[in-house]
């Protein structure tokens, strides 16, 4: 053999070794897929039912597993298929060693027919599939049909499936999985045992990630698994995929800074500091921190969620004793500086800002506008910035009152609410709409004393009085009258005229005035006498509005 041939042989051997090394790697989501019920993370409410049914022999012919992506629907179905076909017998603990168990784990068991409804949605394909149901299983105890994303079936495909689901052979079991159970016909749902798999908590995912990293001997700093668990948003599969990515990103190890950089997440301490700049009305500091955050390309929806968590923590601190361990020291510190109403206002601003992110020019702009709104509702005027923390705290305690007062100052010509006529004028001037406006239009003023506003609602309009509409009307009244107004609405008759009745009366009077004007017109009277004509009063209604 010549030297060139020998060199090529060595090179070929080298690359074959490299390729085998690359191909032998199995992603964590597949390597750590549960093989038994005991390996499942969470879903105890589903596992309990399945274990009892398998151990007692009370088997149904069709099971439907629903839930969001990555919570274990297909995995649970495969484990159930093993339980049904294990050579050791039907039980909740398959042996995992027989040909049926290993075949299902490796995806080569002939009697487990896995169907992707998204790619086989045509009715002809479904009929061909159902035609084979009548034949006995080849190697197992049961022929199991696992139909993933079953909601993707067409109407005709569902009809073809329904016929078999009504009276299936004894040797057939159907395992259906879907992320959208509402799209499945009720006729199918009623023939299945339905199991809704829940989102996994961040704690459950974190515990599993810690276990996997220990088994895989992956060095990691404290907190890395928590960051990944939160980013996975309830999906174990997403968490394992992110863990794989993080290991590659960190070249075999996990560091907190690198994981944050990969995920685009912001530490809660950074968010706390950002919120502090809002409380202290330090716009320069706020925009400096926003700029630093933008360099990490963060998930702005997650930033809004983080701010909401901080405000939620503050609100809890404000209603619990100082010694409570349900909130941290940062939450208690903010709780002492901020007025309760101001915290609720901030929470509403961030909540609405989060909803508006999709309608903003870009998420960064939307988040910045949310922060600016909070800054705009700071508890003191631009020229009255406090010189020390004590003054700042005092300003914070008066924040909501000052903010509401500014809003009222911007409203010109607000009518004094002295009598029912003033109530009519107030309702007409407020920017109400929908059912809230209808509620106001059918109320009369009973009295307005102190901060309590009492209205009477006509009994025939009682259906308008819902908690939601009352809250909306109260919010509008607080803006126009006083931010402490408490609205009370009693359902009872009143001799006073409601705004709706006044409008009807004025429209009727305008119409009568228009008719009278027409009747007095000399030309009209001559025309009526000449042609023996009469005035159609119903056709003159439009004249009252001209």
């Amino acid at each position: 053999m010549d030297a060139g041939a020998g060199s090529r042989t060595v090179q070929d051997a080298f690359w074959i070794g490299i390729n085998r090394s690359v191909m032998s790697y199995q992603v964590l989501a597949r390597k750590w897929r549960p093989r038994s019920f005991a390996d499942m993370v969470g879903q105890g409410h589903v596992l309990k039912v399945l274990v009892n049914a398998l151990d007692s022999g009370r088997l149904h012919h069709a099971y439907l597993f629903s839930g969001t992506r990555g919570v274990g629907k297909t995995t649970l179905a495969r484990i159930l298929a093993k339980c049904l076909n294990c050579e050791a017998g039907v039980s909740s603990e398959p042996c995992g060693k027989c040909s049926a168990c290993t075949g299902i784990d490796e995806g080569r068991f002939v009697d487990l027919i896995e169907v992707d409804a998204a790619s086989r949605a045509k009715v002809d394909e479904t009929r061909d599939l159902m035609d084979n149901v009548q034949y006995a299983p080849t190697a197992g105890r049961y022929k199991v049909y696992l139909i993933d994303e079953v909601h993707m079936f067409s109407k005709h495909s569902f009809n073809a499936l329904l016929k078999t689901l009504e009276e299936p052979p004894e040797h057939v079991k159907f395992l259906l999985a879907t992320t959208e159970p509402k799209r499945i016909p009720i006729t199918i749902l009623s023939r299945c045992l339905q199991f809704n798999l829940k989102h996994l908590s961040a704690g459950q995912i974190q515990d599993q990630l810690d276990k996997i990293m220990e088994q895989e001997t992956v060095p990691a700093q404290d907190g890395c698994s928590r960051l990944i668990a939160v980013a996975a948003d309830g999906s174990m599969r997403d968490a394992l995929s992110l863990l794989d990515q993080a290991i590659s990103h960190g070249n075999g190890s996990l560091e907190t800074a690198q994981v944050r950089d990969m995920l685009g997440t912001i530490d809660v301490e950074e968010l706390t500091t950002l919120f502090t700049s809002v409380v202290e009305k330090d716009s320069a500091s706020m925009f400096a921190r926003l700029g630093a955050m933008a360099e990490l390309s963060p998930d702005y929806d997650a930033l809004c969620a983080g701010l909401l968590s901080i405000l939620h923590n503050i609100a809890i601190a404000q209603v619990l004793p100082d010694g409570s361990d349900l909130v941290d020291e940062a939450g208690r510190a903010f709780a002492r500086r901020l007025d309760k109403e101001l915290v609720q206002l901030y929470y509403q601003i961030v909540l609405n800002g989060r909803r508006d992110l999709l309608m903003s020019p870009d998420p960064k702009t939307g988040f910045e506008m949310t922060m600016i709104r909070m800054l705009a509702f700071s508890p003191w005027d631009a020229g009255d910035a406090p010189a020390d923390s004590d003054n700042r705290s005092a300003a914070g305690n008066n924040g909501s009152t000052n903010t509401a007062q500014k809003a009222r100052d911007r409203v010109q010509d607000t009518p004094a609410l002295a009598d029912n006529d003033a109530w009519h004028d107030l309702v007409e001037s407020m920017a109400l709409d929908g059912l809230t406006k209808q509620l106001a239009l059918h109320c009369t003023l009973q009295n307005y004393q102190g901060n309590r506003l009492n209205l009477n609602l006509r009994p025939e309009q009682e259906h308008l009085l819902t908690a939601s509409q009352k809250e909306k009307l109260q919010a509008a009244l607080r803006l126009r009258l006083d931010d402490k107004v408490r609205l009370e609405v009693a359902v009872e008759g009143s001799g006073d005229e409601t705004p709706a009745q006044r409008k009807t009366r004025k429209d009727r009077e305008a119409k009568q005035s228009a008719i009278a004007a027409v009747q007095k017109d000399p030309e009209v009277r001559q025309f009526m006498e000449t042609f023996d004509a009469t005035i159609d009063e119903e056709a003159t209604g439009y004249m009252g509005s001209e």
Side-chain angles (χ1 to χ4, degrees):
M1 181 175 66
D2 59 28
S7 176
R8 285 194 300 273
T9 302
V10 172
Q11 292 177 0
D12 291 344
F14 171 78
W15 286 112
I16 289 173
I18 291 294
N19 288 334
R20 286 178 177 172
S21 176
V22 172
M23 293 176 64
S24 65
Y25 178 75
Q26 191 174 27
V27 297
L28 295 177
R30 295 186 61 189
K31 182 177 181 180
W32 287 91
R33 170 173 279 171
R35 299 287 190 265
S36 65
F37 290 144
D39 295 336
M40 291 287 295
V41 177
Q43 317 304 346
H45 64 296
V46 174
L47 299 180
K48 181 178 180 180
V49 177
L50 293 178
V51 168
N52 291 339
L54 288 163
D55 290 342
S56 64
R58 300 175 65 87
L59 301 177
H60 201 271
H61 65 276
Y63 299 81
L64 174 65
F65 301 106
S66 62
T68 56
R69 79 280 178 273
V71 294
K73 301 183 297 297
T74 307
T75 295
L76 193 57
R78 287 173 180 162
I79 295 174
L80 181 55
K82 285 200 296 184
C83 294
L84 294 171
N85 281 301
C86 179
E87 294 176 3
V90 177
S91 74
S92 61
E93 298 181 359
C95 69
K97 299 177 181 179
C98 66
S99 60
C101 289
T102 56
I104 291 174
D105 285 338
E106 297 170 4
R108 53 178 177 78
F109 188 65
V110 67
D111 288 322
L112 175 59
I113 301 96
E114 296 195 30
V115 180
D116 180 12
S119 60
R120 297 191 62 176
K122 294 181 179 179
V123 63
D124 292 339
E125 295 175 329
T126 308
R127 285 173 179 166
D128 291 341
L129 193 67
M130 295 299 102
D131 285 343
N132 293 322
V133 168
Q134 59 184 315
Y135 300 115
T138 302
R141 187 177 295 105
Y142 292 100
K143 181 180 286 188
V144 180
Y145 286 85
L146 199 172
I147 306 178
D148 199 11
E149 299 299 340
V150 67
H151 65 271
M152 297 293 289
F153 268 166
S154 65
K155 179 180 179 180
H156 296 297
S157 294
F158 275 124
N159 289 336
L161 175 63
L162 177 61
K163 183 177 180 181
T164 305
L165 275 181
E166 288 177 340
E167 297 181 3
E170 290 292 330
H171 60 266
V172 171
K173 301 293 181 186
F174 287 96
L175 309 180
L176 313 180
T178 180
T179 54
E180 300 185 48
K182 292 182 180 180
R183 292 177 57 183
I184 300 176
I186 188 63
T187 51
I188 298 292
L189 294 175
S190 63
R191 288 167 173 81
C192 300
L193 291 186
Q194 300 177 46
F195 299 95
N196 182 37
L197 277 65
K198 300 177 181 178
H199 263 64
L200 298 177
S201 68
Q204 289 174 321
I205 296 176
Q206 181 181 1
D207 291 342
Q208 182 70 358
L209 293 180
D210 288 338
K211 174 184 174 182
I212 291 173
M213 287 191 291
E214 181 181 353
Q215 295 291 324
E216 296 286 333
T217 64
V218 177
Q221 292 181 345
D222 292 341
C224 290
S225 58
R226 178 70 181 179
L227 290 173
I228 295 174
V230 172
D233 192 24
S235 170
M236 181 58 73
R237 184 175 64 232
D238 287 5
L240 294 176
S241 297
L242 288 172
L243 179 59
D244 247 333
Q245 184 178 347
I247 293 173
S248 298
H249 187 78
N251 195 24
S253 64
L254 271 62
E255 295 181 2
T256 304
Q258 290 179 330
V259 173
R260 287 190 186 281
D261 182 57
M262 182 195 80
L263 297 175
T265 55
I266 303 297
D267 189 273
V268 67
E269 294 181 1
E270 285 291 322
L271 277 177
T272 301
T273 305
L274 177 65
F275 182 66
T276 300
S277 66
V278 173
V279 174
E280 296 181 348
K281 201 182 179 184
D282 189 347
S283 57
S285 174
M286 186 187 81
F287 276 99
R289 295 190 180 281
L290 287 173
M293 290 179 177
E295 293 179 0
L296 299 175
S297 300
D299 181 348
Y300 287 100
D301 180 76
L303 293 186
C304 287
L307 282 175
L308 290 172
S309 296
I310 291 174
L311 290 163
H312 174 249
N313 194 40
I314 298 170
I316 291 177
Q318 290 178 329
V319 298
L320 291 178
D322 288 341
S324 174
D325 57 357
L326 293 180
V327 292
D328 55 25
E329 182 55 38
R332 284 191 287 269
F334 280 126
R336 289 189 290 267
R337 298 178 63 180
L338 298 173
D339 186 73
K340 291 181 181 180
E341 287 80 3
L342 188 60
V343 172
Q344 297 298 323
L345 175 64
Y346 282 163
Y347 189 92
Q348 197 65 38
I349 289 173
V350 179
L351 191 65
N352 290 335
R354 188 181 186 188
R355 294 170 181 162
D356 293 344
L357 284 181
L358 292 177
M359 295 182 285
S360 302
D362 57 79
K364 178 177 179 291
T365 300
F367 184 73
E368 287 181 351
M369 284 301 299
T370 299
M371 301 304 299
I372 292 172
R373 288 192 193 107
M374 285 199 289
L375 200 65
F377 281 91
S378 291
W380 52 77
D381 291 325
D384 299 329
D388 53 47
S389 59
D390 291 337
N391 290 338
R392 190 175 297 123
S393 178
N397 289 332
N398 294 319
S400 290
T401 303
N402 292 341
T403 300
Q405 185 62 49
K406 293 177 191 174
R408 290 197 302 275
D409 290 343
R410 289 193 296 266
V411 179
Q412 301 298 320
D413 302 325
T414 300
L417 200 56
D419 52 32
N420 197 53
D421 288 339
W423 166 248
H424 292 183
D425 296 335
L426 178 61
V427 171
E428 187 175 343
S429 67
M430 289 193 297
L432 301 175
D433 56 17
L435 294 177
T436 307
K437 183 175 183 178
Q438 292 302 312
L439 173 61
L441 287 173
H442 288 89
C443 286
T444 58
L445 177 67
Q446 182 179 359
N447 60 68
Y448 179 33
Q449 295 180 349
N451 293 326
R452 187 177 297 274
L453 174 61
N454 293 294
L455 301 177
N456 285 340
L457 175 66
R458 296 176 63 83
E460 59 268 27
Q461 303 296 336
E462 184 177 4
H463 62 279
L464 296 172
L465 185 58
T466 65
S468 174
Q469 302 311 324
K470 181 182 175 183
E471 288 179 3
K472 291 179 180 178
L473 180 56
Q474 178 173 266
L477 289 168
R478 285 180 172 178
L479 181 63
R480 297 301 303 274
L481 298 174
D482 189 289
D483 63 297
K484 300 295 185 182
V485 165
R486 290 191 59 185
L487 175 64
E488 297 293 339
V489 182
V491 181
E492 58 184 57
S494 171
D496 293 328
E497 189 178 47
T498 68
Q501 289 173 325
R502 185 177 76 164
K503 183 179 184 303
T504 300
R505 176 176 56 80
K506 287 190 172 183
D507 288 345
R508 183 173 60 252
E509 291 174 352
K511 178 178 178 180
Q512 293 299 326
S513 177
I515 294 173
V518 170
Q519 290 175 336
K520 292 179 180 179
D521 186 277
E523 295 183 359
V524 173
R525 293 177 63 85
Q526 182 180 2
F527 184 88
M528 293 173 61
E529 293 173 357
T530 302
F531 296 98
D532 193 22
T534 59
I535 297 175
D536 185 357
E537 294 187 0
E538 294 301 322
T540 61
Y542 72 93
M543 297 177 66
S545 61
E546 291 187 347

